[in-house]
Amino acid sequence: MLRRSRAVWIAGVLLVIAAASLPAWAAGPADPLPSWRDGPARRSILRFVSAVTKPGSPDFVPPAERIATFDNDGTLMAEKPYHFQLHFVAERIRELAPQHPEWKEEQPFKAVLEGNVPVIADIALPDLEKLVLAASAGTSEKEYTEAIERFLVHAENPELGFPFTKTVYRPMLELLAYLRARGFKIFICSAAGPEMIRTFSEKVYGIARENVIGSDMMMRFELEGKEPMLMREPRFVPPTNDRGGKPINIERTLGRSPILAFGNSDGDIEMLEFTAYSGRPHLGLLLRHDDAEREYAYDEGAEQAFAQAPARGWIVVGMKESFRRVFSTPLPRP
Amino acid sequence: MLRRSRAVWIAGVLLVIAAASLPAWAAGPADPLPSWRDGPARRSILRFVSAVTKPGSPDFVPPAERIATFDNDGTLMAEKPYHFQLHFVAERIRELAPQHPEWKEEQPFKAVLEGNVPVIADIALPDLEKLVLAASAGTSEKEYTEAIERFLVHAENPELGFPFTKTVYRPMLELLAYLRARGFKIFICSAAGPEMIRTFSEKVYGIARENVIGSDMMMRFELEGKEPMLMREPRFVPPTNDRGGKPINIERTLGRSPILAFGNSDGDIEMLEFTAYSGRPHLGLLLRHDDAEREYAYDEGAEQAFAQAPARGWIVVGMKESFRRVFSTPLPRP
């Protein structure tokens, strides 16, 4: 008995020593996507990334060309009941309302001042642009950015009940980290104003300010004494960053096309099509909001994208079956 | 005699052994700017970089904010007798001329077709834009880029007698490498088309395609069957990247302002002013072409910049006194 237990003890010690001296690879890599459930979406991502990053693979893509572009609203973070830029703009409109008595009777201002969520949530793009322009005209870029930063400190998603910057999807954060670790350069490509997303992209996503592409507003450069100033002008720099504007602005800004693109709506169709531009292996992904329990269930605004997905080989990622966990924050839905 | 020479020999061996075993730092760091002559310009660069990169220094700037922007033509590479984009455009105009008999009588086309260098070299911006638009209208982005690449293989600067991509300044290449090693993110900010500079920026400057900001042309996205296409349209995306357009496009693209900017003409004034935007320590530099012997001597187009330099604290870098060597290539001027 004594002998045997001593032998076991010695074997145990030897095992511990052996394990401690094993090289890191022998333990197997940690799961890079723990919040993703095993399934076709997760597997297609792992397979693609492995193929394009393995030296000697026929699908190998050199790091300089490993460009990944992500839509923001509804892809990296919740966009319902309406997205955070509109929420911010509505707050600015309410602040500016005393100087604009005519807004009480004029849409879309009227809906904003009355807090009419259904109307605001269904706003058409020209009306949204009208609000964005009204909210920022005559402001300097610095003032505007500071107003966004103040807003993000106190503002919460009115339905989810936690801060906008916490409504990001944990599986997407893991995907960003995984791609980054495999040498991808990651860019956000959003219809929103880039100055909005830049206020939190580094902290929340680990994506540098300069890696955010969005709908730019025209600016004016001037000097106040010796102080350089950028004033926002009431018009957009064409093209706004939606639909066909996305590939154009990606090409303009990067001089490259993505080999991986992730979107969630018809506004992302052309960005996904653009993954085929370089002739490299490519992957298009679409997040489907089908989880009324944990987030939202809606296909509106994404019908064309889902209809085209099978023929184009785009992977539809159903939130319900693909995400083990949805939000990065553990806060429950109220 | 024998004894003494033996002692010398032994001392010599010991010295060699001692030198070989010295740690690297003991030799002092290698000179990061060997092609720069000691003088105020070199010293101001070394002093600035040291101040903003030294942890604990009151002037320390975190790496994320160490943005440096460089003009291209006349700053990183020679722009005389006229710059390589105009040279390329002229070649395209000559190719397209048979389809445009009217160009024989119409300026600026006439001058291009006649090879009238003085007129071409003095071309006004609206005429240059007319040529650029004529040279690229109706072309796809891919075709256009391929044409640039073909051009750069055979084209030489007609006066210097060696390829355009060899007319880059060696001291500037050293400065780029030095800044990169000290954690700077380097961007080119040029009035030229970014697609021009991107064809060689990685190979020649070590600057990634996505770090080139220029005057963008509008594009159109379309599908040819399943093939995504970008077609160039005959207009610029505002603002073109000159004068006040430079800070605007830097802010739009990066969401940041540079702490170091290097230019050579009045077109760079606002970019240099913009270094004061963040409130961080900043350095503005202007290359002065005062070396008719080794390059060119001209102040035209830079008079305002030089006039403002002393009051703004911008460093004027005279090529003659600051550059120990001018070009990256050892080829002599013909």
Side-chain angles (χ1 to χ4, degrees), chain B:
Chain B
M1 269 311 258
L2 184 77
R3 259 199 149 135
R4 195 165 156 200
S5 70
R6 196 172 162 187
V8 167
W9 187 86
I10 291 171
V13 167
L14 288 176
L15 207 68
V16 167
I17 293 172
S21 54
L22 275 175
W25 57 260
D31 180 356
L33 302 174
S35 302
W36 288 71
R37 288 209 185 96
D38 187 34
R42 187 177 189 278
R43 272 180 236 157
S44 70
I45 292 170
L46 294 173
R47 201 181 312 120
F48 175 77
V49 172
S50 163
V52 298
T53 57
K54 194 175 162 189
S57 149
D59 289 336
F60 181 76
V61 176
E65 296 176 42
R66 287 181 208 156
I67 305 286
T69 54
F70 285 77
D71 171 58
N72 186 64
D73 304 294
T75 300
L76 294 177
M77 77 195 295
E79 62 179 347
K80 293 283 173 188
Y82 50 87
H83 83 58
F84 74 102
Q85 179 168 19
L86 186 46
H87 206 80
F88 164 71
V89 163
E91 186 172 291
R92 297 267 300 174
I93 294 292
R94 284 192 294 270
E95 282 167 13
L96 297 170
Q99 301 150 48
H100 295 274
E102 74 280 11
W103 285 353
K104 278 189 195 143
E105 301 307 323
E106 192 187 332
Q107 290 294 16
F109 303 99
K110 189 168 181 281
V112 167
L113 296 178
E114 290 168 353
N116 190 335
V117 174
V119 172
I120 299 172
D122 267 350
I123 196 166
L125 196 62
D127 275 345
L128 173 58
E129 292 183 357
K130 212 186 268 184
L131 291 176
V132 171
L133 297 177
S136 73
T139 332
S140 77
E141 189 62 20
K142 269 186 185 164
E143 282 175 79
Y144 196 69
T145 303
E146 283 161 14
I148 298 165
E149 281 163 355
R150 278 197 308 275
F151 165 79
L152 285 174
V153 169
H154 68 81
E156 291 192 343
N157 181 303
E159 288 188 359
L160 296 172
F162 46 91
F164 284 107
T165 53
K166 301 270 183 193
T167 67
V168 301
Y169 308 126
R170 190 183 178 96
M172 299 304 281
L173 294 182
E174 291 170 1
L175 178 56
L176 296 178
Y178 172 53
L179 292 173
R180 199 175 295 124
R182 305 300 293 261
F184 278 76
K185 295 188 264 193
I186 301 171
F187 296 83
I188 291 177
C189 187
S190 164
E195 67 288 342
M196 297 287 309
I197 297 172
R198 283 174 179 148
T199 56
F200 62 86
S201 65
E202 294 189 351
K203 209 162 60 181
V204 173
Y205 301 133
I207 294 177
R209 297 174 69 81
E210 56 268 32
N211 285 20
V212 176
I213 301 169
S215 294
D216 287 318
M217 263 176 94
M218 195 58 196
M219 287 180 272
R220 197 171 71 243
F221 179 80
E222 49 190 50
L223 283 184
E224 242 187 30
K226 281 193 169 186
E227 284 297 308
M229 297 267 290
L230 288 169
M231 298 300 295
R232 291 173 73 84
E233 303 232 300
R235 60 201 159 100
F236 289 95
V237 175
T240 48
N241 205 40
D242 198 36
R243 301 285 329 214
K246 289 200 174 191
I248 293 170
N249 287 325
I250 293 171
E251 176 69 26
R252 290 205 302 123
T253 310
L254 311 185
R256 294 191 184 283
S257 54
I259 61 167
L260 183 154
F262 210 137
N264 80 306
S265 78
D266 295 347
D268 301 312
I269 288 175
E270 288 80 358
M271 177 171 80
L272 267 63
E273 288 170 344
F274 196 44
T275 57
Y277 190 66
S278 68
R280 295 285 195 184
H282 47 95
L283 182 65
L285 297 141
L286 283 164
L287 185 62
R288 184 171 215 154
H289 297 269
D290 57 2
D291 194 333
E293 199 62 45
R294 297 184 298 172
E295 202 236 13
Y296 292 95
Y298 60 97
D299 275 353
E300 297 82 40
E303 296 90 341
Q304 292 176 41
F306 294 135
Q308 291 179 35
R312 311 305 296 262
W314 299 335
I315 308 296
V316 175
V317 180
M319 191 176 270
K320 198 166 183 173
E321 74 160 21
S322 305
F323 285 6
R324 196 184 297 281
R325 190 174 159 176
V326 175
F327 292 112
S328 64
T329 169
L331 289 173
R333 198 157 168 182

Side-chain angles (χ1 to χ4, degrees), chain A residues 107-187:
Chain A
Q107 290 295 16
F109 303 100
K110 188 168 182 283
V112 167
L113 296 178
E114 289 168 353
N116 189 336
V117 173
V119 172
I120 299 172
D122 267 349
I123 195 165
L125 195 63
D127 275 345
L128 173 58
E129 291 184 358
K130 211 185 269 184
L131 290 176
V132 171
L133 297 177
S136 73
T139 331
S140 77
E141 190 61 20
K142 270 186 186 164
E143 282 176 81
Y144 197 69
T145 303
E146 283 162 13
I148 298 165
E149 280 163 355
R150 279 197 308 275
F151 164 79
L152 285 174
V153 169
H154 68 80
E156 292 192 343
N157 180 303
E159 288 187 2
L160 296 171
F162 47 91
F164 284 105
T165 53
K166 300 272 183 192
T167 67
V168 301
Y169 307 128
R170 190 183 178 95
M172 299 303 281
L173 293 182
E174 291 170 1
L175 178 56
L176 297 178
Y178 173 52
L179 292 173
R180 199 174 295 123
R182 304 301 291 263
F184 278 76
K185 295 189 261 193
I186 302 172
F187 296 83

